Amino acid sequence: MFSRWSNSHHKENDSLQHESKIKELRAALGPLSGRSLKYCTNACLRRYLEARNWNADKSKKMLEETLKWRSTYKPEEIRWHEVAVEGETGKVSRANFHDRYGRTVLILRPGKQNTTSLDNQLRHLVYLIENAILSLPEGQEQMAWLIDFTGWTLSTSVPIKSARDTINLLQNHYPERLAVAFLYNPPRIFEAFWKIVKYFMDTKTFQKVKFVYPKNTDSVELMRSYFDEENLPTEFGGKAILEYNHEEFSKQMIQDDIKSAHLWGFNDKDQCIGNGHSGSDVAVAPAAS
């Protein structure tokens, strides 16, 4: 009985301390306006504090770097028609199912690389991260990644610098947005690439990366604790058929671009200019029994 009261009391104290830290961070940031103000919700401040172990000074520095990056890169202004060519093969797409916790799911298929511009590839990923966040249900702040290595070779892998830039982007500007990343059945040759790339990850990000091998029961069970087998595509050991239709995906993305423009409070000019594509979810159909 005392133990239960003690745990409850401890959680209450933690909650009060966290609220105090959020107020401290907001005061330290000073007056904000425009998109910076819209971006810096209490939930946002909490994520940056969590990423820096509730150190307000370190969190402030981190958040200010993100605000600076967002003011120049303008991720919320990227529109599907600008990056649609990157998505033609479905190398990165948003699934039309969530995990068991209601998180948006991004499916990455690096073996389907179809372009050579590293800047455009990163821009495409940023667009889909922003889109995944836009698509989160109320009360959920994180996404899950499923990475299918079918067709992956060292020749189709991104350069080490590009991998480092992607990791830094995720860690520095989207803290606590990734809940888990499942790397499904990577070939043995990937190990050489991973040995280098893992050193760019902070401890928290590294712990979110899970390797899954079909013959390793524990790893398969771990992934299934996150996903319903009926939703999970066969490429990841599930029962659903993954069908990427670029035209359908594009239609959904165009609709999402309108939502994004409304959220950020600007007119979405160029909405349907370009290749006329925008995007929908990746359709997953039940597999034939």
Side-chain angles (χ1 to χ4, degrees):
M1 182 79 175
F2 175 77
S3 174
R4 200 180 308 161
W5 178 86
S6 178
N7 288 339
S8 172
H9 188 64
H10 184 66
K11 285 180 182 177
E12 194 175 315
N13 279 344
D14 278 353
S15 180
L16 288 172
Q17 286 176 5
H18 290 172
E19 291 304 317
S20 175
K21 283 289 184 182
I22 290 170
K23 288 177 182 176
E24 181 184 342
L25 177 55
R26 188 170 293 287
L29 287 170
L32 297 170
S33 62
R35 294 181 199 172
S36 292
L37 179 61
K38 183 173 279 290
Y39 182 75
C40 292
T41 62
N42 281 353
C44 170
L45 270 54
R46 180 182 291 272
R47 286 192 299 274
Y48 280 80
L49 283 161
E50 284 182 358
R52 290 294 178 264
N53 295 313
W54 295 89
N55 182 305
D57 290 337
K58 290 180 180 179
S59 303
K60 175 178 179 280
K61 183 180 178 185
M62 184 188 194
L63 183 46
E64 285 176 340
E65 286 296 318
T66 292
L67 294 177
K68 183 179 175 184
W69 172 75
R70 291 187 73 91
S71 71
T72 54
Y73 201 87
K74 300 185 187 303
E76 74 279 4
E77 289 189 19
I78 303 172
R79 289 295 167 262
W80 178 248
H81 73 261
E82 299 170 39
V83 296
V85 65
E86 296 288 341
E88 287 178 355
T89 58
K91 65 188 176 192
V92 187
S93 54
R94 191 187 82 213
N96 68 346
F97 60 90
H98 293 83
D99 73 1
R100 294 186 190 274
Y101 303 91
R103 301 181 185 111
T104 305
V105 178
L106 285 186
I107 296 177
L108 292 81
R109 295 186 280 184
K112 292 185 175 289
Q113 183 56 265
N114 63 322
T115 61
T116 56
S117 170
L118 300 179
D119 287 344
N120 285 346
Q121 289 168 15
L122 188 62
R123 194 168 172 80
H124 175 238
L125 179 62
V126 168
Y127 172 87
L128 283 164
I129 289 173
E130 291 279 323
N131 181 269
I133 293 168
L134 180 74
S135 306
L136 287 169
E138 192 173 346
Q140 180 53 263
E141 298 182 20
Q142 295 185 304
M143 57 186 159
W145 287 13
L146 289 173
I147 306 173
D148 170 23
F149 281 89
T150 303
W152 185 91
T153 63
L154 280 178
S155 64
T156 60
S157 72
V158 296
I160 296 296
K161 180 186 179 300
S162 181
R164 184 188 65 197
D165 289 348
T166 300
I167 291 166
N168 286 341
L169 175 99
L170 193 63
Q171 292 179 163
N172 298 336
H173 302 314
Y174 295 97
E176 299 302 314
R177 283 300 194 181
L178 180 67
V180 65
F182 285 105
L183 281 60
Y184 192 81
N185 205 24
R188 180 162 291 183
I189 198 168
F190 178 76
E191 290 176 14
F193 183 77
W194 175 248
K195 279 179 181 176
I196 300 171
V197 167
K198 69 181 182 182
Y199 287 107
F200 303 135
M201 296 182 178
D202 61 32
T203 305
K204 283 190 174 185
T205 305
F206 180 77
Q207 290 172 345
K208 293 173 181 177
V209 178
K210 311 294 182 186
F211 285 78
V212 180
Y213 298 95
K215 292 181 181 178
N216 183 311
T217 307
D218 288 346
S219 68
V220 170
E221 287 303 313
L222 176 65
M223 189 166 75
R224 288 183 181 170
S225 72
Y226 282 81
F227 295 95
D228 185 332
E229 195 178 22
E230 299 297 324
N231 289 334
L232 199 62
T234 54
E235 286 86 345
F236 299 98
K239 295 183 176 180
I241 301 297
L242 178 65
E243 297 174 346
Y244 179 77
N245 182 312
H246 185 59
E247 201 157 328
E248 286 304 309
F249 192 81
S250 293
K251 287 176 186 175
Q252 181 60 51
M253 293 300 103
I254 286 172
Q255 293 302 312
D256 287 351
D257 284 350
I258 295 171
K259 287 183 200 171
S260 176
H262 180 72
L263 174 70
W264 290 103
F266 57 85
N267 291 326
D268 205 23
K269 58 186 185 304
D270 306 331
Q271 184 60 43
C272 297
I273 300 175
N275 61 7
H277 287 152
S278 228
S280 121
D281 298 325
V282 182
V284 179
S289 54

